[in-house]
Amino acid sequence: MKLLQTTPRADGFRMPGEFEPHRGTYMIWPQRPDNWRLGGKPAQRVFAKVATAIAEFEPITVCVNADQYANARAMLPEKVRVVEMSNNDAWVRDCGPTFVKNGDTVRGVDWDFNAWGGLVDGLYFPWDKDDAMAEKICELENADRYRTEGFVLEGGSIHTDGEGTVVVTEECLLSDGRNPDLKRSEIEAHLRDYLGVEKIIWLKRGIYLDETNGHVDNIFSFSAPGECLLAWCEDKSDPQYEISAENLAILENTTDAKGRKLKVRKLRLPSPITITKEESEGVDAIAGTLPRKEGDRLAASYVNFYVVNGGVIFPTFCDPADEEARKTLEEAFPGRRVVGIYAREILLGGGNIHCITQQVPKGGA
């Protein structure tokens, strides 16, 4: 497939909203022992549950390293496609392509990926195999691609309504490890060029202690054009309260690209979740990788759900707020079946359901 020298905006392409129809979904299989406890075995069982749930709604492909192909194939149902594709870790939302479309044509944006901060504050080294994932997935999808050489971005750091608006956080996009030589206005220009958007809404910060420097996908999500969900904390003594309240004020005092005031639904967070001694000791300590220490607070959020054709897959944490989250999502996505999956093992690896999935949109208007 072709490497294009133009930009999506110049070619009339846009990034669709996640709630628009999908051609399918991609995931990457977890295994690295310095991020996933016990060699990734507990996480693999949860990834298999997520893939199986998605397969009830749409086609799904799971990418695996060569030494895990047979294991993944045995753990996943037949209707899940398993493809050997070398990778560094399991976050396809961030290292895979962001798909854009113009009518029936779908293309991929291949962002420069540096593991959430490179040598400044990145989470692992090397990341070269992950940086090659977008090109390989575009090849599988027969999609031409745009490469943003020198401009670092992850899929989890952007969220769009598909109608010209994208939401990001200052904490992430202005961090020192991504594009320190670019001004805010220059970053905005790249977003407009590669996502086909008109309006950029800047939230301040993401979920408290989110190791991705506050990815937007853990604190904010569009549910439809003009409607969104915000991770919410009721406890004023919790550091998250100030973060969420600050972002709510921004959202309530802005308009989208179409001039609409946003309808904001609060999606209450679970109680703080911390790493246990047993969980900490199950992760290999390797230089250059973020350690998992007993007592560390994890960035748990229900906003990190994934929208599929006819459904929503969301994380649960055995918390009283699980059922409230389900009801809020059913209200936000009427007509879709909401499926909860216990996601602690994904959270222990530093992410959540949305982080391990990436959509391939259908063409069309």
Side-chain angles (χ1 to χ4, degrees), residues 234-248:
E234 297 284 357
D235 182 359
K236 293 185 178 181
S237 66
D238 190 308
Q240 183 61 46
Y241 177 84
E242 179 184 344
I243 296 171
S244 293
E246 182 178 48
N247 287 335
L248 178 62

Side-chain angles (χ1 to χ4, degrees), residues 181-212:
D181 297 328
L182 295 182
K183 300 176 183 177
R184 177 170 166 151
S185 60
E186 293 172 319
I187 292 173
E188 289 187 338
H190 280 291
L191 295 175
R192 291 189 177 95
D193 283 343
Y194 285 95
L195 300 178
V197 298
E198 301 296 330
K199 177 74 176 280
I200 296 108
I201 298 175
W202 291 83
L203 303 183
K204 294 293 185 180
R205 293 170 285 173
I207 293 294
Y208 178 60
L209 297 181
D210 185 342
E211 61 192 35
T212 63

Side-chain angles (χ1 to χ4, degrees), residues 25 78 105 108 120 167 182 231 254 262 269 284 293 326 346:
T25 292
E78 289 184 5
T105 304
V120 175
V167 179
L182 295 182
T254 191
L262 295 175
L269 293 164
D284 291 358
K293 297 180 180 179
R326 179 189 299 276
I346 304 176

Side-chain angles (χ1 to χ4, degrees), residues 52-279:
T52 301
I54 291 171
E56 295 298 314
F57 296 92
E58 62 189 61
I60 178 167
T61 299
V62 177
C63 303
V64 303
N65 280 313
D67 60 342
Q68 279 290 315
Y69 179 87
N71 178 48
R73 182 65 281 170
M75 292 181 67
L76 292 162
E78 289 184 5
K79 59 184 172 182
V80 173
R81 181 172 68 162
V82 180
V83 174
E84 185 180 314
M85 189 179 295
S86 56
N87 58 80
N88 298 113
D89 206 357
W91 310 111
V92 71
R93 168 73 53 174
D94 291 341
C95 67
T98 294
F99 286 102
V100 293
K101 68 178 187 177
N102 181 349
D104 291 331
T105 304
V106 175
R107 294 174 177 173
V109 177
D110 179 0
W111 309 104
D112 193 344
F113 178 77
N114 71 354
W116 309 276
L119 299 180
V120 175
D121 59 355
L123 301 183
Y124 55 75
F125 178 87
W127 54 78
D128 57 315
K129 294 177 182 177
D130 280 350
D131 193 33
M133 290 290 289
E135 178 180 357
K136 294 176 181 179
I137 291 173
C138 285
E139 186 75 20
L140 278 181
E141 291 298 319
N142 294 314
D144 293 338
R145 69 185 173 97
Y146 305 90
R147 171 68 176 178
T148 67
E149 200 69 56
F151 180 67
V152 175
L153 195 83
E154 306 92 37
S157 68
I158 53 176
H159 213 293
T160 182
D161 64 354
E163 295 191 356
T165 306
V166 68
V167 179
V168 299
T169 70
E170 293 180 358
E171 180 184 3
C172 181
L173 268 63
L174 302 183
S175 66
D176 292 337
R178 286 174 172 82
N179 301 291
D181 297 328
L182 295 182
K183 300 176 183 177
R184 177 170 166 151
S185 60
E186 293 172 319
I187 292 173
E188 289 187 338
H190 280 291
L191 295 175
R192 291 189 177 95
D193 283 343
Y194 285 95
L195 300 178
V197 298
E198 301 296 330
K199 177 74 176 280
I200 296 108
I201 298 175
W202 291 83
L203 303 183
K204 294 293 185 180
R205 293 170 285 173
I207 293 294
Y208 178 60
L209 297 181
D210 185 342
E211 61 192 35
T212 63
N213 303 107
H215 265 190
V216 74
D217 69 352
N218 214 20
I219 196 164
F220 170 92
S221 177
F222 281 108
S223 55
E227 299 185 17
C228 61
L229 295 123
L230 176 69
W232 188 252
C233 177
E234 297 284 357
D235 182 359
K236 293 185 178 181
S237 66
D238 190 308
Q240 183 61 46
Y241 177 84
E242 179 184 344
I243 296 171
S244 293
E246 182 178 48
N247 287 335
L248 178 62
I250 293 170
L251 294 170
E252 288 182 336
N253 288 280
T254 191
T255 56
D256 64 15
K258 301 292 186 182
R260 294 173 293 218
K261 295 283 291 183
L262 295 175
K263 178 180 179 179
V264 184
R265 289 184 174 90
K266 297 176 181 176
L267 194 51
R268 188 163 66 89
L269 293 164
S271 300
I273 297 173
T274 58
I275 299 175
T276 67
K277 183 174 186 291
E278 178 186 10
E279 290 166 343

